[in-house]
Amino acid sequence: YGDSLRYDANTKLANMKGNVRCIEKDMTLTTNTLIYDIGNSVASYYDGGKIVNKENTLVSKNGHYYSANKELTFHYDVELTNPDYKMRGDTLRYNTINKTSYFIGPSIITSKQNYIYCENGWYDTENEVSRFSKNAIIVTKDQKLLGDSIFYNRKKGFGSATKNVRIIDTTNKSFIVGDYAEHFEKGNRAIVTGHAIYGRRIENDTLFISADTLFYNEPDSTHSFVKTYNHTKIYKKDLQGLCDSLTYYIHDSLMSMYNSPILWT
């Protein structure tokens, strides 16, 4: 629908202007000017548009709707709004069938629970499952999760990161690095493997604990602990140690070492 329409039968291009609406099932596109390629079933706008698909509302400067495969591509000042989150970026591809958004370029997702940044990835808006890559980061109230590739399930509060993994705890002034990590928002638990290292700032020094596998758990605001397994090493300027496994209670700085413990001081 629109105020005026010009159609060229040779090019099969329909140019519609003024209060344009393009409706297909539960999706409605509104814009000022729309060019529809009838031969290829592609609708394009270049002067701002808005798409409403159930609870999702998407706006951008430029957009293309491919009717054949039910996909939309957006460029410049892209913003997707949902009751639970808001997504902003430069380029976004959205499939109306599987309700999945694909990011190309710097993209930001914000919600009451967290802040997410990436430069490549996808987000299943219906199941709230996503994968982010290229400078990916998830920031919550107390922590930051970084990695080359991050998988995140918003409903389950579960995230996993692969390669160059960093978990930064801003509350306890600590961090965990490794090759692979799984993070559970409930209970604030993390499992890190592959060159796993835990570090915590203590006065003017930093305590480092490394092991093959590292577990971090913060059941409440006053109790938190770290458990390490296999080839555990401890380093601090005035203290070094070796053992097979270790438990470190952060709230009272109590460290328990198991199987052939050695300490230098």
Side-chain angles (χ1 to χ4, degrees):
Y1 304 90
D3 293 342
S4 64
L5 169 66
R6 179 182 177 183
Y7 175 64
D8 189 327
N10 295 319
T11 60
K12 293 186 178 179
L13 293 178
N15 193 328
M16 188 169 285
K17 295 182 179 181
N19 302 308
V20 180
R21 287 181 297 144
C22 178
I23 302 170
E24 186 164 341
K25 292 184 178 179
D26 58 355
M27 186 201 76
T28 301
L29 162 65
T30 57
T31 182
N32 290 323
T33 304
L34 184 73
I35 300 172
Y36 188 67
D37 185 340
I38 296 177
N40 297 308
S41 298
V42 179
S44 304
Y45 62 85
Y46 300 94
D47 191 27
K50 180 173 74 172
I51 290 179
V52 178
N53 179 224
K54 290 184 177 179
E55 72 277 10
N56 296 312
T57 300
L58 196 150
V59 295
S60 68
K61 185 176 180 180
N62 296 356
H64 308 277
Y65 174 50
Y66 302 88
S67 180
N69 56 11
K70 303 298 185 288
E71 280 198 352
L72 303 105
T73 304
F74 307 96
H75 304 279
Y76 308 116
D77 302 327
V78 183
E79 186 172 289
L80 174 63
T81 304
N82 181 280
D84 299 322
Y85 58 86
K86 182 177 287 188
M87 188 183 307
R88 300 190 305 274
D90 182 70
T91 301
L92 176 71
R93 185 163 58 90
Y94 181 68
N95 189 296
T96 59
I97 298 176
N98 57 26
K99 307 294 189 298
T100 300
S101 300
Y102 302 88
F103 317 114
I104 303 170
S107 304
I108 297 172
I109 302 172
T110 55
S111 68
K112 293 180 180 178
Q113 292 78 25
N114 53 38
Y115 164 97
I116 299 171
Y117 173 87
C118 74
E119 295 174 10
N120 204 320
W122 54 265
Y123 189 99
D124 184 337
T125 60
E126 191 166 50
N127 298 307
E128 298 189 39
V129 175
S130 53
R131 182 173 293 280
F132 311 105
S133 60
K134 199 172 182 181
N135 298 317
I137 179 172
I138 298 177
V139 181
T140 63
K141 180 181 178 182
D142 302 314
Q143 287 189 337
K144 298 178 182 178
L145 174 63
L146 303 91
D148 287 358
S149 178
I150 298 178
F151 171 84
Y152 181 61
N153 188 316
R154 184 182 294 275
K155 289 183 178 179
K156 294 183 178 180
F158 169 79
S160 64
T162 307
K163 292 186 179 180
N164 297 312
V165 177
R166 285 179 290 162
I167 301 174
I168 301 171
D169 191 321
T170 54
T171 303
N172 293 313
K173 297 181 180 180
S174 63
F175 65 87
I176 302 173
V177 299
D179 296 333
Y180 176 78
E182 293 183 354
H183 182 261
F184 304 84
E185 292 179 357
K186 186 177 181 180
N188 196 6
R189 296 176 293 123
I191 304 170
V192 183
T193 60
H195 306 94
I197 299 174
Y198 169 82
R200 181 170 182 249
R201 186 73 175 171
I202 300 176
E203 295 178 350
N204 295 321
D205 198 2
T206 302
L207 170 68
F208 295 95
I209 304 174
S210 68
D212 293 347
T213 303
L214 190 149
F215 293 83
Y216 176 86
N217 197 336
E218 188 180 358
D220 54 57
S221 59
T222 57
H223 296 84
S224 56
F225 60 86
V226 175
K227 288 186 177 182
T228 65
Y229 292 91
N230 300 332
H231 307 103
T232 301
K233 297 178 182 179
I234 305 164
Y235 179 82
K236 197 171 174 284
K237 286 182 180 180
D238 58 352
L239 180 73
Q240 295 86 46
L242 292 171
C243 63
D244 177 70
S245 56
L246 173 149
T247 301
Y248 174 50
Y249 295 94
I250 299 170
H251 59 280
D252 58 6
S253 298
L254 174 64
M255 192 177 294
S256 300
M257 303 168 68
Y258 304 95
N259 295 338
S260 304
I262 303 172
L263 275 176
W264 291 271
T265 185

